[in-house]
Amino acid sequence: MKNNLITTMMFLIVALSITVACNSSNTDSNQLNSNQNQKNDTTKYPIDILDSNGENVRIYEKPEKIIVLDSAAVEILFAIGQGDKIVGTHSFVTHPEEAKQIPKVGDAFSINIEKIIEQEPDLVYIFFNKFAEDLNKNQLKVLYIKTLENDFSNISDQILMWGKITGNQDSAIQLSEKFQDQIENIQSKINYQSESPKIFIDTTDLWTSGPNTLMGEVLELLNLSNIAHDISGYAQLNPEIIIERNPDFIITPNPSTFKNNPAFQEISAVKNNKIFTLQSDALSVPGPRFPEGINELASLIYPDW
Amino acid sequence: MIFPWKYTLLSLIILCSIMVISISIGPVYISSFEILKIITNKLQIIEIEKSWPQSFESIILNIRMPRVFLAGIVGLALSISGASYQALFKNPLADPYLLGIASGAALSVTIVMTQFENSSLITNFIPVSAFSGAIICVTATYYISTKQHGSTNTLILSGIAIASITQACTSFLMLYSNPDLRPLLSWILGGFASAQWDQILIIGPYILISTIISISISKYFNLIQLNQEHSQQLGLNTQKIKLIIVINSSINTAAAVSFAGIIGFVGLICPHIIRNIFGGDYRNIIPLSGIFGAILLVLSDTISRTILNPVEIPVGILTALFGGPFFLYLLAKTKNQN
C-alpha cells in the first residue's frame, strides 16, 4: 500500500511537469501541418473498424486529436504524415525523434486517465484491453487492437487501417507497398535451398523467442534455423540445450554472457566469433521500420548482403 | 562444545548423494558411466581415453557442477542466516531478507539495469551492486536503530521502513525507465541458469567464513532466547553478540543474493523444519538447517532446469511449491501431538 501511494505521487509530479512543458509547443505545430494534409483526404466518413474484440468501432468524422498508446502505431502515423494528430503517447515511444515531444499519458502498465481527458481526444488507440473500460466510462472513443504477436505481414494492414482512419489513404497505400516491396526484396536475396545456419537469439539472461513470435518468423524469412524451435512464446532456454544444439550465430545485447563463460567455449558461434549485437530496436516494434531491422540482422549473418 | 556430529554426517551424506544425482540429470542425456569418466579424467586420477564429445565435458564440468554447487552454498547461506535472524529476533517469521537486504540489493540492481546503456558492463556489475546495495541497506537499518537505543524491535521496524523506501524507488524505476523488464524480473525471482565456477570462488569464502562463525557462536543463540536480564546474569554481552550476528548474517545473505538473485522461502522454512524435527537447540538448528537448505535448493534447481525441458523456470517458484506443503504437513503434525 505504502509503495503504491509513493509511486502514484511521484508519477503525478512527473506527469504534471511534462504537461506544463509540452502543451504550448504542441498546439502550434498542429495548425501548421493540418493544411498540407487536406488534399489526401480520401476517406468517406463514417467508417467502421473491426477491433481485437471482434466488434465494430464506428468513427464518424476525421479524428484530429488521437491518443496512441502503441509504439508501432506512432511510427505508422508519422510515416504517413499524420504524426501531428497525435496528442498523447506512452512513455516507451522512442521513434521518431519528433514523437519524444508528445505528452506521455501512460506506460505499459497504467494510463493517466485525467491527462487523456484533458487532451480532449477524438480517438484513443490502445494495445491492451485492460484500459478500455475506464476510457469508455469517460465517453472516449476507444479503438483496441492487440499488439502484433506474430505474422508481421499484418503490419501493412495496420498501415492501411491508419490511412483509412486519418483520411490519408494515398500515403498509406504507398507506405504499405513500400513495406511489401522491402519484404519481397529480402525474400529474393535468400537462397532457401541452401542449408540454414543455426542461430540463438538472446534477449538477456538466455531469454529467447520461439517460432510463433515475430522474431521467430523473421528467422524463418532469413532461412535461419532457430535453436529454440520447441518453445512457445518467450522463455529462458536451458544453457545445456544451447551447447547441445550448437548455434552458428548468437545475437545478444551482452556478448560477454557467452564470451566469458567457460561452458560456452565449444559453441561454434563462440569459437568463430559470430556473436553480434543489434544496434537498432527496429525488430522490437512491428511498424514501418521493421524491414530495416530484418536487413540489419541479415547483414550480420550474410557477409555480402 | 556439543556438536550434532551424527546427524550432521548423516545429512551431509544425503546432501552429497542428492548432488551426485542432480549432476547426472539434465535436459541433455549423458549416461552416468560417461559422467564418471569425464570427472575422473578431469581430476587426472587415471588416464582414460577420451571417447565423449567435448560438449558433454562442457555441460558436466562447466554447467551442471557449478550450478549444483552454487545452489548448495546459496541454500546453506540463506538457511543459516534465516535461523540466525529467527534466534536474534526471537521471531519465527524472521527471514534472511528481514533487515532490508533483498530490497537493497534489488534497488541497486534495478538502478544498474535501467540506468546504464552498456549491457556488457551491466552483467559484470550486477553481483557487485547487489552485494553493496544489500550491505548499505543493512548498515542504514542498524545505524538508525542504534540511535534509538538499539532494541530488536526498533531494528525490525527500521528494517521495514528502509525496505519500504527502497521498494518504492525500485517500483518507480521499473515503471518509468526500461520497457523490457524480463531480465530484471528474472533476477528478482532468482536462479542459477548462469552459474559459473568463478562465482563460487568469489562468494564461497564469505559463506564459508560466516558459516563457521555462525556454528561456533550457536550456543549463544540459545542464551539469547532467555530474556535480557538472565543472559546478562550469565555473563553474556548481548549487544556485542547481536552486532556479530547481524554483521555475519548480512554478509552471508548478501553473498547469496549477489549471483543467485532473491530466492524466497528457503531461509524462512528450513530452520522451522529442522526445529520441528530436532527441537529448539540452536547448536543443532544452525548446522542442520544449513545442510537442509542446501538440499532443498539443489533439489529445487534440478527440477527447475529439467521439468519444462528445454525451458528454465525460476527456482524461487519451486522452493515455495516444494517447501510449502512439507511445512504445512509438519505444522499439522505438531498440532496433533499437542
Side-chain angles (χ1 to χ4, degrees), chain A residues 2-4 6-8 10-12 14 91-92 94 106-110 203-209 227-228 230-232 234-245 253-257 260-267 277, chain B residues 25-29 54-56 58-59 62-64 67 113 118-124 160 163-165 167-168 171-172 174-183 186-187 193-198 305-306 309-314:
Chain A
K2 248 182 275 168
N3 289 354
N4 284 345
I6 294 171
T7 322
T8 327
M10 290 176 102
F11 177 76
L12 279 176
V14 174
S91 48
F92 298 151
T94 56
D107 55 49
F109 311 98
S110 60
T203 350
T204 23
D205 248 2
L206 313 183
W207 279 80
T208 191
S209 333
I227 67 158
D230 47 1
I231 69 170
S232 89
Y234 297 85
Q236 193 180 26
L237 204 63
N238 188 296
E240 289 181 22
I241 296 287
I242 300 171
I243 294 177
E244 193 197 27
R245 297 188 181 164
N254 318 312
S256 63
T257 317
N260 299 345
N261 189 336
F264 292 137
Q265 297 313 308
E266 289 305 311
I267 295 177
T277 304
Chain B
I25 355 186
V28 174
Y29 175 76
Q54 185 65 32
S55 63
F56 281 14
S58 289
I59 288 173
N62 289 324
I63 291 195
R64 285 193 203 163
R67 210 174 158 154
M113 279 201 186
N118 183 344
S119 3
S120 57
L121 185 87
I122 290 177
T123 348
N124 302 328
I160 290 170
S164 307
I165 297 166
Q167 271 164 20
S171 323
F172 183 78
M174 280 167 83
L175 285 173
Y176 300 107
S177 336
N178 193 340
D180 189 8
L181 295 171
R182 274 193 303 260
S186 94
W187 184 87
S194 50
Q196 292 176 34
W197 287 115
D198 290 358
R305 66 193 160 88
T306 48
N309 181 16
V311 166
E312 298 258 345
I313 38 177

Side-chain angles (χ1 to χ4, degrees), chain B residues 143-152 154-155 228 239 242:
Chain B
Y143 181 74
I144 292 166
S145 78
T146 45
K147 291 266 156 193
Q148 307 290 329
H149 315 297
S151 80
T152 46
T154 47
L155 193 56
Q228 196 151 347
Q239 281 307 345
K242 271 185 202 167

Side-chain angles (χ1 to χ4, degrees), chain A residues 110-162:
Chain A
S110 60
I111 52 169
N112 187 333
I113 197 98
E114 289 190 15
K115 280 199 71 187
I116 291 176
I117 296 169
E118 188 203 4
Q119 299 292 341
E120 299 179 336
D122 312 319
L123 181 65
V124 182
Y125 179 84
I126 52 176
F127 69 93
F128 194 32
N129 204 14
K130 192 182 114 189
F131 309 129
E133 197 186 331
D134 266 357
L135 293 165
N136 278 324
K137 244 191 290 180
N138 290 288
Q139 279 82 43
L140 293 165
K141 173 73 78 185
V142 179
L143 178 58
Y144 156 60
I145 309 267
K146 243 165 81 176
T147 300
L148 276 185
E149 281 163 358
N150 47 33
D151 201 356
F152 61 77
S153 60
N154 282 337
I155 293 173
S156 70
D157 295 341
Q158 295 208 336
I159 294 172
L160 294 175
M161 178 194 80
W162 280 111

Side-chain angles (χ1 to χ4, degrees), chain B residues 7 9 20 22 27 37 50 56 74 109-110 144 176 191 208 210 242 250 257-259 265 273 286 309 317 321:
Chain B
Y7 292 125
L9 273 177
V20 169
S22 293
K37 283 200 290 187
K50 206 168 152 183
F56 281 14
V74 167
V109 168
T110 311
I144 292 166
Y176 300 107
L208 184 72
S210 82
K242 271 185 202 167
S250 306
V257 160
S258 58
F259 287 106
F265 222 58
I273 288 171
I286 294 292
N309 181 16
I317 294 175
L321 261 184

Side-chain angles (χ1 to χ4, degrees), chain A residues 201-235:
Chain A
I201 306 285
D202 167 53
T203 350
T204 23
D205 248 2
L206 313 183
W207 279 80
T208 191
S209 333
N212 54 346
T213 59
L214 290 172
M215 182 53 99
E217 289 165 12
V218 168
L219 299 181
E220 212 169 297
L221 177 77
L222 292 178
N223 193 32
L224 294 168
S225 145
N226 185 358
I227 67 158
H229 52 74
D230 47 1
I231 69 170
S232 89
Y234 297 85

Side-chain angles (χ1 to χ4, degrees), chain B residues 245-262:
Chain B
I245 297 174
V246 170
I247 293 174
N248 190 38
S249 307
S250 306
I251 290 176
N252 212 352
T253 316
V257 160
S258 58
F259 287 106
I262 297 159

